[in-house]
Amino acid sequence: MTMLEIHNLHVRVGGKPILQGIDLCVNAGEVHAIMGPNGSGKSTLARALSGHPDYQVTEGEVSYEGRDLLAMDPEERARDGVFMAFQYPVEIPGVNNAYFLKAALNAIRTHRGQEELDAIEFMALMREKSTLLEIDPSMLTRSVNEGFSGGEKKRNEIFQMAVLEPKLAILDETDSGLDIDALKLVANGVNAMRSPERAIIVVTHYQRLLDYIVPDVVHVLSGGRIVKSGDRALALELEDKGYGWLEPEAAAAAPAAKA
Amino acid sequence: MTTATRTIEELANREYQYGFVTDVEAETVPKGLNEEVVRLISEKKREPEWLLEWRLKAYRTWLAMTEPTWQNVRYPAIDYQDIIYYSAPKKKPTLNSLDEVDPEIRATFEKLGIPLEEQKLFAGVAVDAVFDSVSVATTFRTKLAEMGIIFCSFSDAVQEHPDLVRKYLGTVVPYSDNFFATLNSAVFSDGSFAYIPKGVRCPMELSTYFRINARNTGQFERTLIIADEGAHVSYLEGCTAPMRDENQLHAAVVELVALDNATIKYSTIQNWYPGDKQGKGGIFNFVTKRGKAAGVNSKITWTQVETGSAITWKYPGCILLGDHSIGEFYSVATTNNWQQADTGTKMIHIGRNTKSTIVSKGISAGHGQNTYRGMVKIGKQAHGARNYSQCDSLLIGDQCGAHTFPYLEIKNTSARVEHEASTSKIDEDQIFYCRQRGLSTEDAVNLIVSGFCREVFRELPMEFAVEAQKLLSVSLEGSVG
């Protein structure tokens, strides 16, 4: 079943065109990797899908479970199951991590017509999910991301994802800044979330993460367009050859997209 | 305009929910201020001669004083002859039975969420309710009296415990202290009085709710709290007023006295009417609050959440007289729309090894102007004195202002004084992060602001911490664009 369908998506940031005609179709149960050189628009795609106000959609459509995603506020998207793991998770001083997550979970549950979890039920859920990612319980009582190491922040993102159980998870360079142990932990967390009802989009610069989270489809972004799609072998090829060999294809794709 | 901005602007159109007027017959004295009015107030309250003399001394001193101008707030001149200095509900309630309180007034307090029936009160809070100038009801008096605790209206204290009142009145804030405190000393009409005897730990929160109702009326209440040796008390005041187009003056005085090993915790949730979105109306809140940590090891803590009033001018301070005494000041002050606040504290270290802590959180939104003004004074004899001050300002939007004026006066070289300050803007990325997790913009702002204020909220008694948080979110509605 098609979960996400992106058609001819153009996005500007601060007046500068970044995405210039993205077409992408993601089915439930699939893991898609979005790769590409720096500045190719990978993170822009992730942020535009999550509704960041600085990312202005100038053209194109995005349909999520048959609904117009672009017409939805960021919080509506979140409540309807779109989750983004941030490349740079934000610190919120003075706000307890567990309290924050409980507020988020209950906002989502209320939207879905489910009852809010009380403190005891919530703590039980936290314990269950935190074991998976080897989250230190003290991390839950600290302020959101405040004083967390880079690795802790990323693990906290995946932990939030595990608790919020989204339908569509977008991981924006979750592997950046992680050492190999943290990378494995994060990958385990993500793999545990794989299910026929859920789709995952992994945005990454390096193929390394894909050794642990094996994608069904790999897309290469360059100059704001998808220039090549393939299976896992494409990621390995990229590692081998770098992004340079795709430049001619990027050039070829450009006029086609304009037509 | 983003959807978020629109939502927030809709929310902003919600009204101040305490802005209603209660229709009760009131007994008022004619407008204006002169010696006759002072005598009339004293007479109505059947006061002893010494108190009338004290009022008159204050009045004569006040005549020679000029209104201070150093504060960082702007407001139209106050016409002191255009104010009614005394207004009392006509049906004088008997304090023996709460059933005899005017039903209209009872309904008012119920609307404010302050039921006066003792059995309905949330556990452990005794309430004194002050309506316009007069205390209308004090709950749990009998139960407290069994422990020797006196908790009643100031007027009752003058009648029933004149020696205590005479002994302590004006010992912390003298009648000649400052323009507004002196005015209060001349015309104060009522307020709360509490005395906790030696070694007694007050088993419940004491609380006063102040309500201004009548038009053109000033409210001048006076509160006096004495914690005798080894006594402990936690006290809370809340305030609301109707929405009116004209400004109303509130000039209160609070005096606290803590003897040896005594502790007083005084918390305020100030929610006077702040004026409308154009800055019309609202309460002028000029308040003098001071505590004297007179005894050794005594401790006074001020916690305030200031969300209301058009103008706020108050500096709850501590005179740290006793050796090893402690003074604390925790404050959250919010200014939204056209509100202005100039608030902070004074910590006067006199005794040895005295310690003070100041944590001030200022939040400015809309066209709000928020000033922290604090003084730390370390006297010659205050060996080993320590102070830690932290002043943080949070700005929401780009039309508001935050100002910090710390004054340090140190006359003892062994003192240690630290001051930290920060100013930050509410971060769009923080809001987006919360929204991406499913929270509305409004909830996101509330969450971020309550995180910013956490160090202060955790000093509030539990029940009121929740109230304070709610109040803060209401007062900041419409502040994010």
Side-chain angles (χ1 to χ4, degrees):
Chain A
M1 193 197 87
T2 306
M3 178 173 286
L4 182 75
E5 202 170 348
I6 304 174
H7 177 64
N8 190 34
L9 184 69
H10 287 66
V11 174
R12 284 171 179 262
V13 185
K16 193 178 162 206
I18 305 289
L19 297 185
Q20 311 192 56
I22 297 280
D23 291 288
L24 179 66
C25 186
V26 180
N27 295 317
E30 291 178 349
V31 174
H32 285 234
I34 309 278
M35 301 187 69
N38 289 333
S40 60
K42 303 185 298 286
S43 288
T44 299
L45 177 61
R47 289 168 202 171
L49 291 176
S50 61
H52 196 294
D54 293 348
Y55 292 72
Q56 193 199 353
V57 175
T58 52
E59 218 183 312
E61 296 93 46
V62 179
S63 147
Y64 168 68
E65 294 195 307
R67 296 180 57 192
D68 178 4
L69 185 76
L70 301 178
M72 295 159 74
D73 280 337
E75 58 268 38
E76 283 181 72
R77 301 182 197 198
R79 291 172 195 164
D80 269 329
V82 178
F83 178 93
M84 179 170 78
F86 282 62
Q87 183 180 2
Y88 304 109
V90 178
E91 298 183 2
I92 311 178
V95 177
N96 178 295
N97 208 16
Y99 179 84
F100 172 73
L101 196 47
K102 180 163 172 269
L105 180 65
N106 282 334
I108 292 170
R109 289 181 67 93
T110 305
H111 176 75
R112 289 179 187 159
Q114 294 167 310
E115 267 190 48
E116 294 195 359
L117 290 190
D118 63 28
I120 295 165
E121 293 165 326
F122 180 73
M123 285 320 287
L125 178 70
M126 297 278 272
R127 259 197 301 280
E128 179 200 324
K129 303 288 184 186
S130 59
T131 340
L132 180 70
L133 287 152
E134 296 182 19
I135 298 276
D136 185 335
S138 76
M139 226 165 106
L140 303 176
T141 54
R142 282 154 64 188
S143 295
V144 178
N145 292 319
E146 201 188 23
F148 286 24
S149 70
E152 281 176 328
K153 283 183 182 171
K154 297 298 179 76
R155 254 155 62 202
N156 194 32
E157 292 293 289
I158 303 303
F159 172 63
Q160 291 183 12
M161 176 174 91
V163 172
L164 300 178
E165 299 187 319
K167 287 187 246 178
L168 173 66
I170 305 162
L171 277 52
D172 187 7
E173 307 215 12
T174 298
D175 52 335
S176 66
L178 289 187
D179 62 29
I180 194 71
D181 293 330
L183 188 75
K184 282 183 188 166
L185 266 178
V186 162
N188 283 343
V190 175
N191 286 329
M193 297 281 295
R194 290 180 86 146
S195 92
E197 292 82 41
R198 183 172 291 131
I200 301 174
I201 297 175
V202 181
V203 172
T204 180
H205 187 79
Y206 299 105
Q207 111 81 24
R208 187 178 66 155
L209 178 66
L210 306 180
D211 285 341
Y212 302 99
I213 304 171
V214 179
D216 300 299
V217 191
V218 175
H219 308 276
V220 181
L221 222 65
S222 178
R225 290 181 195 85
I226 291 176
V227 293
K228 202 168 177 69
S229 299
D231 60 12
R232 197 192 161 200
L234 176 59
L236 296 168
E237 201 177 344
L238 282 172
E239 180 162 68
D240 223 29
K241 302 185 187 168
Y243 288 107
W245 65 282
L246 284 166
E247 290 306 318
E249 294 185 44
K258 266 181 198 155
Chain B
M1 190 162 57
T2 66
T3 326
T5 316
R6 278 199 303 275
T7 325
I8 280 294
E9 292 206 342
E10 279 159 23
L11 283 166
N13 293 328
R14 265 196 231 161
E15 287 183 11
Y16 176 75
Q17 60 169 317
Y18 306 105
F20 55 88
V21 179
T22 308
D23 192 14
V24 284
E25 260 195 285
E27 179 186 19
T28 53
V29 301
K31 255 187 198 177
L33 185 54
N34 50 50
E35 218 168 281
E36 250 341 274
V37 168
V38 176
R39 286 179 189 279
L40 202 63
I41 293 171
S42 186
E43 191 189 308
K44 278 191 186 301
K45 307 192 86 63
R46 297 178 292 117
E47 285 176 354
E49 192 57 30
W50 65 264
L51 191 49
L52 173 62
E53 282 309 314
W54 195 76
R55 286 178 180 273
L56 290 172
K57 269 194 290 183
Y59 174 67
R60 287 166 198 147
T61 309
W62 183 76
L63 284 177
M65 290 172 117
T66 47
E67 213 173 311
T69 52
W70 44 261
Q71 61 269 22
N72 188 26
V73 295
R74 303 279 166 273
Y75 57 94
I78 299 170
D79 180 354
Y80 291 92
Q81 295 306 334
D82 196 34
I83 293 171
I84 296 167
Y85 286 86
Y86 182 81
S87 169
K90 225 170 203 169
K91 214 184 280 174
K92 172 70 183 156
T94 341
L95 287 166
N96 300 331
S97 164
L98 288 165
D99 297 337
E100 288 168 49
V101 174
D102 187 318
E104 284 288 337
I105 294 175
R106 275 171 67 147
T108 299
F109 281 101
E110 261 149 43
K111 238 169 161 174
L112 297 171
I114 308 150
L116 297 175
E117 287 91 341
E118 296 185 6
Q119 67 274 19
K120 281 194 203 154
L121 278 173
F122 41 106
V125 182
V127 176
D128 182 27
V130 177
F131 192 86
D132 285 339
S133 303
V134 172
S135 168
V136 291
T138 311
T139 64
F140 284 113
R141 274 181 87 163
T142 335
K143 194 180 166 197
L144 291 166
E146 283 165 17
M147 303 181 73
I149 297 170
I150 303 165
F151 179 45
C152 61
S153 70
F154 199 93
S155 312
D156 286 352
V158 170
Q159 302 302 326
E160 294 162 25
H161 311 280
D163 296 345
L164 275 176
V165 175
R166 194 171 185 178
K167 184 171 173 192
Y168 290 105
L169 178 70
T171 58
V172 189
V173 180
Y175 69 81
S176 56
D177 194 77
N178 69 71
F179 184 83
F180 295 106
T182 301
L183 176 62
N184 173 289
S185 302
V187 300
F188 73 90
S189 34
D190 214 334
S192 295
F193 176 86
Y195 170 79
I196 322 298
K198 267 183 200 173
V200 171
R201 182 178 280 269
C202 185
M204 57 180 78
E205 301 282 339
L206 301 184
S207 171
T208 302
Y209 269 87
F210 295 102
R211 174 78 180 169
I212 297 179
N213 189 62
R215 186 179 288 273
N216 297 326
T217 307
Q219 179 145 327
F220 306 92
E221 80 271 0
R222 189 150 190 130
T223 295
L224 176 58
I225 298 173
I226 303 131
D228 212 326
E229 291 169 21
H232 288 250
V233 63
S234 171
Y235 183 94
L236 183 121
E237 61 168 4
C239 349
T240 57
M243 280 159 50
R244 296 196 188 277
D245 285 348
E246 75 271 7
N247 300 106
Q248 279 179 286
L249 177 65
H250 171 249
V253 171
V254 175
E255 295 180 277
L256 310 181
V257 180
L259 302 182
D260 288 355
N261 302 304
T263 300
I264 301 176
K265 191 176 164 73
Y266 193 105
S267 314
T268 303
I269 294 186
Q270 187 264 106
N271 188 26
W272 297 118
Y273 177 52
D276 68 9
K277 276 184 293 173
Q278 280 72 45
K280 199 169 181 197
I283 302 292
F284 290 168
N285 191 34
F286 293 88
V287 171
T288 304
K289 291 181 169 175
R290 201 171 299 147
K292 185 152 81 180
V296 292
N297 291 319
S298 55
K299 181 178 176 186
I300 290 176
T301 303
W302 296 101
T303 306
Q304 59 171 19
V305 177
E306 301 282 317
T307 59
S309 297
I311 307 280
T312 296
W313 179 98
K314 64 179 276 199
Y315 315 91
C318 298
I319 301 168
L320 302 173
L321 194 63
D323 291 347
H324 305 281
S325 60
I326 296 173
E328 293 177 332
F329 175 75
Y330 299 96
S331 168
V332 167
T334 324
T335 50
N336 195 4
N337 298 319
W338 295 90
Q339 283 176 276
Q340 306 170 68
D342 191 311
T343 183
T345 183
K346 278 184 188 174
M347 291 293 177
I348 317 286
H349 293 252
I350 298 168
R352 289 165 165 262
N353 300 314
T354 45
K355 242 164 72 177
S356 63
T357 304
I358 299 170
V359 177
S360 162
K361 305 279 181 175
I363 302 159
S364 319
H367 294 84
Q369 294 293 330
N370 210 319
T371 300
Y372 168 80
R373 189 184 302 275
M375 172 186 267
V376 176
K377 205 168 172 175
I378 312 267
K380 265 188 205 149
Q381 308 304 320
H383 296 285
R386 287 178 63 175
N387 161 266
Y388 172 74
S389 303
Q390 184 193 335
C391 301
D392 298 321
S393 305
L394 186 68
L395 301 170
I396 303 176
D398 50 13
Q399 307 283 311
C400 55
H403 318 267
T404 304
F405 299 97
Y407 302 86
L408 302 174
E409 205 180 306
I410 298 154
K411 293 191 175 144
N412 186 300
T413 49
S414 68
R416 231 172 80 192
V417 175
E418 290 173 67
H419 181 92
E420 283 179 28
S422 77
T423 303
S424 52
K425 273 191 87 163
I426 204 158
D427 189 348
E428 292 294 331
D429 284 337
Q430 289 176 326
I431 294 177
F432 178 68
Y433 188 74
C434 296
R435 294 178 77 194
Q436 210 303 305
R437 295 299 182 254
L439 302 176
S440 64
T441 303
E442 189 196 359
D443 288 342
V445 171
N446 290 340
L447 195 78
I448 295 162
V449 169
S450 67
F452 174 74
C453 300
R454 196 179 61 136
E455 288 153 288
V456 175
F457 284 166
R458 71 176 174 210
E459 296 297 327
L460 285 172
M462 188 67 125
E463 306 87 321
F464 302 113
V466 177
E467 188 182 332
Q469 205 146 333
K470 273 191 211 146
L471 196 57
L472 199 63
S473 63
V474 171
S475 88
L476 283 174
E477 272 170 9
S479 57
V480 174

